[in-house]
Amino acid sequence: MSVAATYVRRAFKYRFYPTDEQAAELSRTFGCVRKVYNMALAARTQAWTRQERVNYNATSAMLTAWKKTEELAFLNEVSSVPLQQCLRHLQTAFSNFFAQRARYPRFKSKKKSRRSAEYTTSGFRFRDGKLTLAKMADPLDIVWSRPLPEAAKPSTVTVSQDAAGRWFVSLLCQDPGVTPLPATGSAVGVDVGLDHLLTLSTGEKITNPRHERRDRVRLALAQRRLAKKATGDGANRRKARQRVARIYARIADRRRDGLHKLTTRLVRENQTVVIEDLTVRNMVKNRGLARAISDAAWWQFRNLLEYKAAWYGREVIAVDRFFPSSRLCSTCGTLRQKMPLHVRTWTCACGARHDRDVNAAKNLKAAGLAVSVCGAGVRPQRSSPGGQAATKQKASRREP
């Protein structure tokens, strides 16, 4: 029995190589987007202290007035579409803040913030496989590493440049090619770790590739050379900073590629995947394990797993983080009072000998399936990104 395909909004990201004129135009656009965002954020912050309401329409009117001033006349040199889009993004950031889903919006930094600009349909032309942005005469030289869906019409185009100097373009399209996978009765529990990246309830252990450790010597050398460069915006310091960024980018690319392969495999093979609802944000505060936890990228693993499961008709169940999966015997249900981290194997009073990680994965699977059958609290709510600070600000997060 065939399963009907569903339309999903999917971003297709490609690398491109701009000409000198295009690179200069995009750099100006990035700067103007950052300037408008920061000015609008400052205006809304000042209005909030006065208990005044400022929304997207008000900031859009401010932008029109700013363009008419002599000091900000350079805003007219770039396309107005990315400037309007950054105001919409600011409105979304404030909506998330008032709904207690995020912290208060922060100002964009010239050196640390992501360099990007978003174009809607009125800001680009896509014909015959060629993409031309507003204020540009020639199309972008894009490396089409994979084809777009047939008859795809991008709704938005996002151009970005990473710290390593690479240029990327992301096209958001309606993809009709996502077909839910045939239902299976298989379920698996997944326990994440550091010695082994994943341990499955089937007993399989997936080795942690430790991508950052492979380039640690090269990264340390590049960082030492960067630290010895004179401070400022000199060419030598800029080149040294890019060398460090290229190493980080290579590490991130390998990590993301590995996680994509793992999550795709789990979604294809299992109808239900049970994981643990870990607070990675709090766990990385442990200075002894922060580097290893960040390299394992547990949050990214969960994020990829959840959206792929939603695409292909699978289910991801997150068990409460306080569930004693490691201390509970998966055979008889006996709960041990203590289980130090150095204990990797243990024997229960019932005679069952357990591998710590495999036992935890089995317990997670059983707990997740039990919760799913009961139909209550399948997936616990994630904590507010603000953590404790968000709780303290709860009374003050009311939109004026």
Side-chain angles (χ1 to χ4, degrees), residues 23 34 57 96-97 103 187 204 270 288 319 327 336 343 347 389:
R34 183 178 62 253
N57 294 330
N96 292 334
F97 169 72
R103 293 182 177 181
E204 179 184 358
N270 302 279
V319 177
R327 298 186 287 116
R336 293 191 58 172
V343 177
T347 303

Side-chain angles (χ1 to χ4, degrees), residues 6-20:
T6 57
Y7 284 83
V8 298
R9 298 180 65 195
R10 188 172 182 178
F12 293 83
K13 190 175 182 179
Y14 305 93
R15 189 170 179 180
F16 74 98
Y17 297 87
T19 63
D20 293 340

Side-chain angles (χ1 to χ4, degrees), residues 57-69:
N57 294 330
T59 54
S60 180
M62 292 179 186
L63 176 60
T64 303
W66 291 337
K67 288 183 176 181
K68 296 179 180 179
T69 62

Side-chain angles (χ1 to χ4, degrees), residues 16 18-33 74-83 115-117 119 123 133-138 140 159 161 167:
F16 74 98
T19 63
D20 293 340
E21 294 78 7
Q22 290 174 341
E25 175 64 28
L26 289 174
S27 296
R28 284 195 299 268
T29 303
F30 295 158
C32 292
V33 167
F74 62 87
L75 296 177
N76 294 293
E77 299 176 2
V78 301
S79 173
S80 61
V81 176
L83 305 184
R115 292 163 55 85
S116 65
Y119 295 80
L133 301 179
K135 301 285 186 177
M136 294 185 185
D138 300 321
L140 300 180
V159 182
Q161 185 185 26
W167 295 86

Side-chain angles (χ1 to χ4, degrees), residues 284-296:
V284 294
K285 294 178 181 179
N286 184 335
R287 295 186 178 182
L289 298 176
R291 195 170 193 172
I293 293 174
S294 299
D295 190 29

